[in-house]
Amino acid sequence: MVGTAHRNTDGTGVEGVAGGVGVTALLVAAARALESHRSDSLARDVYAEHFVRAAPASADWPVHPRQVPDGDANPLWGRFARYFGLRTRVLDDFLLRSVRVGGARQVVLVGAGLDARAFRLDWPPGCVVFEIDRKEVLAFKHRVLGGLSATPRAARVPVPMDLRADWADALPRVGFDPAAPSVWLVEGLLFYLPPAAETYLIDTVEGLSAGGSALAFEVKLEKDLLEYRDSPLYTATREQIGIDLLDLFDLAPRPDSAGRLTDRGWSASVHTPFDFTRLHGRGPLPEPNDALAGNRWVFAEKPRPAEVGRGA
């Protein structure tokens, strides 16, 4: 994702998810596995637990709710995991709606991590899923999915690129068409980027997006993330699996990326996760000293030229 994990040395990609930001991909995979085994599951990912078990860093983490003794009362494997389950469902719905209703056939996962959407979602014919991430992360994913004989349900194009490199030029070389509508997902990535890198990424997506394209991304709006250092969520993550998220997040004030897109003619809506908890009837709700308080999910669409003309 953001080049903070160790360099891979054995070709398996394991070291790509062994530390730093890379290991957070395993955290999210464990959350998806837990969600998949819930009786009231919001999203199912049969591949997630295999990623978790394949990496030494996460081999003993829970992948089934019965493996969490205190259940939903556990801030990490209860509430935080449910957050990721809800996020998965909402972004699944966004992607499928964009290709089924909006008609886009290019899907770009920026910082794809251990996302298995190319394999588990019911894509319309003709869809191509581009997965951009570091070579080490994609190698690990390929090894695990290959061992399961998993078959993608859309054309899948891995793009092994560090996001600090020129991935915008790399995409057209592997078949991406900037003149055709596309759907972009930036999930669980922008927290880790400096503000200038976030702005560059949003500007790059905007420049590669034809009319009719759509984008979803996740941001944090707190002015001072350190105010939540002692929150149950961050404390449990540090104590139970040794990940200090606040050491990984970039703590500088965040840019207004939704406003930047709006200024360039996109329509954008900004939601709290709790909006979708209420919509689906399950998921996290606000609580005191809440590390999720500043999280926002942004959904944006770029109008087609005809739509711009009608609005003039």
Side-chain angles (χ1 to χ4, degrees):
M1 292 164 68
V2 193
T4 58
H6 299 295
R7 182 179 179 84
N8 181 56
T9 57
D10 62 3
T12 67
V14 171
E15 291 189 13
V17 292
V21 174
V23 79
T24 64
L26 294 168
L27 167 59
V28 178
R32 289 198 304 268
L34 289 165
E35 186 67 33
S36 298
H37 290 296
R38 288 178 175 271
S39 60
D40 62 345
S41 173
L42 284 160
R44 296 191 184 277
D45 183 347
V46 300
Y47 305 103
E49 63 186 84
H50 296 279
F51 293 131
V52 176
R53 291 290 176 255
S58 58
D60 60 349
W61 293 358
V63 294
H64 194 292
R66 66 169 175 263
Q67 297 169 343
V68 184
D70 45 353
D72 283 349
N74 186 304
L76 170 57
W77 300 123
R79 187 169 185 264
F80 203 19
R82 198 89 223 241
Y83 170 83
F84 291 122
L86 177 67
R87 186 180 78 178
T88 298
R89 168 62 180 275
V90 171
L91 296 179
D92 283 357
D93 289 348
F94 161 79
L95 291 172
L96 291 176
R97 183 172 59 250
S98 297
V99 296
R100 290 174 179 170
V101 179
R105 290 295 180 266
Q106 300 181 126
V107 179
V108 187
L109 309 177
V110 182
L114 302 180
D115 187 313
R117 288 183 170 97
F119 295 83
R120 62 179 183 79
L121 295 186
D122 187 15
W123 299 102
C127 280
V128 182
V129 179
F130 298 89
E131 299 184 4
I132 307 174
D133 213 318
R134 290 180 298 113
K135 177 177 66 175
E136 295 86 352
V137 175
L138 294 177
F140 174 75
K141 180 192 289 190
H142 177 76
R143 180 174 68 84
V144 173
L145 293 173
L148 299 171
S149 298
T151 302
R153 304 175 76 176
R156 174 176 175 254
V157 181
V159 186
M161 296 283 295
D162 191 310
L163 288 172
R164 295 171 299 183
D166 193 358
W167 56 270
D169 281 348
L171 268 178
R173 291 199 298 269
V174 294
F176 176 83
D177 181 3
S182 49
V183 186
W184 300 79
L185 179 59
V186 187
E187 180 181 17
L189 171 64
L190 297 182
F191 307 157
Y192 307 103
L193 300 184
E198 175 179 333
T199 298
Y200 173 78
L201 188 152
I202 295 296
D203 286 351
T204 301
V205 170
E206 201 282 327
L208 290 171
S209 296
S213 294
L215 163 66
F217 59 94
E218 181 182 25
V219 293
K220 275 185 172 291
L221 298 185
E222 292 102 341
K223 293 182 178 179
D224 184 4
L225 283 170
L226 294 179
E227 290 184 4
Y228 297 94
R229 172 164 288 282
D230 296 327
S231 71
L233 189 152
Y234 289 150
T235 299
T237 305
R238 287 195 301 269
E239 294 178 349
Q240 294 183 43
I241 59 175
I243 298 176
D244 191 333
L245 290 171
L246 290 175
D247 280 351
L248 299 176
F249 292 161
D250 189 285
L251 303 180
R254 308 312 303 176
D256 179 8
S257 293
R260 191 174 185 86
L261 288 169
T262 300
D263 290 343
R264 298 185 177 193
W266 293 57
S267 62
S269 60
V270 182
H271 300 269
T272 73
F274 312 126
D275 295 336
F276 293 97
T277 293
R278 299 181 181 101
L279 175 66
H280 291 288
R282 51 206 190 276
L285 288 168
E287 66 179 26
N289 192 21
D290 192 353
L292 300 178
N295 287 39
R296 297 292 184 273
W297 298 343
V298 181
F299 304 89
E301 295 182 355
K302 187 173 187 176
R304 299 177 188 271
E307 295 170 347
V308 174
R310 284 199 300 269

